[in-house]
Amino acid sequence: MISVQHLSKQFGRLEVLKDINTEIRKGEVIAVIGPSGSGKSTFLRCLNLLETPSAGSILIDGIPLLDRNTNVPKLRQRMGMVFQSFNLWSHLSVLDNLTLGPVKLLGKSRQEAEKKAIELLRLVGLAEKVHSFPDELSGGQKQRVAIARCLSMEPEILLFDEPTSALDPTMVSEVLAVIRRLSREGMTMVIVTHEMEFARNTASRVFFMEEGMIYEEGSPEQLFDNPAREKTRAFINRIRSIRFHLTSNDYDLYAMQGEMETFCEKHMLGRKVSNYVQAVAEEVLGLIPEISGLNLSLSYSEKEGDVIILCESPGEPFNPLEEGVQADDIGIRLIKGRCKSVDYRYEAGNNILLLDIQGS
Ligand code: ADP
Ligand code: MG
């Protein structure tokens, strides 16, 4: 459906895309992941000509997008784009947001366009908001309206640029659910996302972008469980864990727990797991009398769905979960009650605690 050959894009002397070659087939769902600045947005914007590529070609069903004789507006209509920031028309009602394009650009009658708009609002679960204005909607609802608006133009391909990044974490899943539904209905989609769990469950193929190239691509299983190349591996490991370095007992517990919560939300681990992780981390730190140079990390194991807390503290051997007067401490019982397994070892001057919290 889309064929990209030797696509490159420069902004002045900055080479943002370098020789991208790929094919996207009908019905495929491509997740594009990669570090910030790697060219993901530029790649999407080149696909629907919001940016003009510096070189290379893009063919849509064999028709060259960059050829002077090609009817670009018409070809572009076959692609809808959903942005991070919704881009709804705030002075128009939801209904008008969905009918303006079809009436003006597709030449539909008002009646026809409204009928279709209501169908689409039903599809995204927002039929009751038909007469609302964008400002009266939550972020998640706005984004679902934006998706419906895109669909109102009857595109064959949908491009999403981080559709959930601007959302409050509690609203991410309602938007992802809509995208998942579209994927089940066979929509061809290219989705730039940081939601790895979603990418794994929904994408048929994943592109990992790095420094303006598709550095590695493959099935979600290949890319997430068995990345072939080093930078992919590093990226996957990084997004799966967060690390805290504590230099004294005066650490900011609430800020840390906030980050842990965001981490759990990002991997869609659910409230219970998130609460367990935060509580266990707090209790473990509470059992260590003198904190200096302690490392605490959370890693998410996609295979098991578990969260592993690793706590490394330098000093004399001391297992806070076993020793001394704290043996019957309430904190220890709480930790043991919430972990699938706890493991202590002493290695190279470090006390290492490994706590496994079962995913939901
Ligand atoms: P990503 O979406 O992966 O974070 P982008 O495609 O937004 O990456 O950006 C890739 C690089 O291109 C960045 O270094 C960015 O600063 C640069 N860039 C993006 N758009 C422009 C522009 N319009 N003008 C100049 N530089 C740009
Ligand atoms: Mg971007």
Side-chain angles (χ1 to χ4, degrees):
M1 188 167 214
I2 307 181
S3 164
V4 178
Q5 291 157 8
H6 304 297
L7 174 68
S8 73
K9 173 69 184 173
Q10 275 136 289
F11 289 111
R13 297 190 52 192
L14 184 67
E15 214 182 354
V16 174
L17 297 180
K18 300 166 193 165
D19 195 28
I20 294 201
N21 296 285
T22 192
E23 308 255 333
I24 297 166
R25 289 175 291 276
K26 199 169 163 56
E28 274 199 297
V29 177
I30 309 279
V32 182
I33 63 170
S36 170
S38 56
K40 304 181 297 296
S41 296
T42 308
F43 175 57
L44 278 199
R45 295 169 66 84
C46 281
L47 284 184
N48 76 345
L49 293 189
L50 286 173
E51 299 284 358
T52 311
S54 308
S57 69
I58 300 171
L59 304 172
I60 309 281
D61 282 338
I63 304 167
L65 206 52
L66 301 169
D67 192 279
R68 205 172 303 153
N69 300 318
T70 300
N71 182 343
V72 169
K74 187 139 187 267
L75 263 186
R76 193 190 274 159
Q77 251 172 38
R78 300 172 60 176
M79 278 180 269
M81 179 124 164
V82 175
F83 301 89
Q84 190 176 329
S85 51
F86 328 128
N87 295 8
L88 294 173
W89 293 301
S90 58
H91 61 291
L92 296 181
S93 71
V94 165
L95 183 65
D96 290 340
N97 263 280
L98 266 68
T99 53
L100 188 74
V103 169
K104 291 231 152 119
L105 299 171
L106 301 182
K108 287 196 172 185
S109 72
R110 177 91 209 158
Q111 202 188 8
E112 204 183 346
E114 287 188 358
K115 185 164 168 265
K116 181 76 186 171
I118 289 164
E119 265 171 41
L120 289 172
L121 286 172
R122 250 181 227 130
L123 177 82
V124 300
L126 289 171
E128 61 177 23
K129 300 292 183 190
V130 57
H131 298 301
S132 300
F133 280 80
D135 283 347
E136 298 161 353
L137 304 177
S138 73
Q141 292 170 333
K142 279 184 209 169
Q143 192 60 300
R144 286 187 279 152
V145 170
I147 294 170
R149 185 182 62 179
C150 234
L151 292 169
S152 74
M153 294 301 289
E154 300 171 359
E156 293 161 48
I157 307 158
L158 280 184
L159 310 174
F160 293 85
D161 194 359
E162 297 192 23
T164 59
S165 292
L167 297 177
D168 189 296
T170 55
M171 294 168 186
V172 168
S173 57
E174 66 193 53
V175 171
L176 296 183
V178 165
I179 301 176
R180 236 180 248 121
R181 168 154 189 194
L182 294 173
S183 101
R184 281 199 301 274
E185 293 182 1
M187 192 76 196
T188 311
M189 299 190 279
V190 183
I191 309 163
V192 175
T193 185
H194 291 293
E195 305 289 341
M196 297 301 148
E197 191 55 15
F198 165 75
R200 170 194 279 270
N201 297 335
T202 311
S204 47
R205 229 167 7 131
V206 183
F207 292 176
F208 171 64
M209 284 192 72
E210 167 76 28
E211 289 173 13
M213 290 175 288
I214 299 178
Y215 179 82
E216 183 167 348
E217 65 160 272
S219 69
E221 292 73 31
Q222 271 167 330
L223 218 92
F224 289 116
D225 298 337
N226 258 321
R229 302 188 65 187
E230 191 195 318
K231 284 181 183 170
T232 321
R233 223 173 290 141
F235 179 79
I236 300 286
N237 286 335
R238 211 162 46 238
I239 49 162
R240 282 213 194 126
S241 64
I242 47 171
R243 203 174 300 275
F244 303 94
H245 184 70
L246 278 51
T247 52
S248 78
N249 287 68
D250 295 326
Y251 55 89
D252 185 345
L253 176 67
Y254 298 114
M256 237 169 68
Q257 288 180 321
E259 281 186 55
M260 291 177 178
E261 188 170 338
T262 308
F263 177 82
C264 292
E265 273 157 359
K266 196 168 186 156
H267 293 289
M268 296 199 255
L269 293 170
R271 184 109 306 267
K272 185 176 148 209
V273 176
S274 176
N275 288 343
Y276 274 26
V277 165
Q278 292 172 56
V280 167
E282 179 175 354
E283 294 303 332
V284 165
L285 292 174
L287 292 175
I288 299 172
E290 279 289 324
I291 290 179
S292 65
L294 177 148
N295 285 314
L296 185 85
S297 71
L298 300 190
S299 327
Y300 170 53
S301 144
E302 282 203 58
K303 249 189 202 147
E304 315 274 325
D306 290 1
V307 178
I308 313 289
I309 300 181
L310 178 71
C311 178
E312 293 175 290
S313 60
E316 295 300 306
F318 167 66
N319 178 356
L321 294 178
E322 297 293 344
E323 275 174 37
V325 288
Q326 288 180 319
D328 59 355
D329 190 279
I330 245 179
I332 295 177
R333 264 187 281 147
L334 190 144
I335 293 167
K336 290 190 171 162
R338 297 192 170 169
C339 293
K340 186 160 108 185
S341 68
V342 299
D343 182 41
Y344 168 83
R345 60 178 193 271
Y346 189 72
E347 232 174 68
N350 270 303
N351 291 289
I352 300 173
L353 272 177
L354 204 61
L355 308 152
D356 187 334
I357 296 172
Q358 182 146 26
S360 40

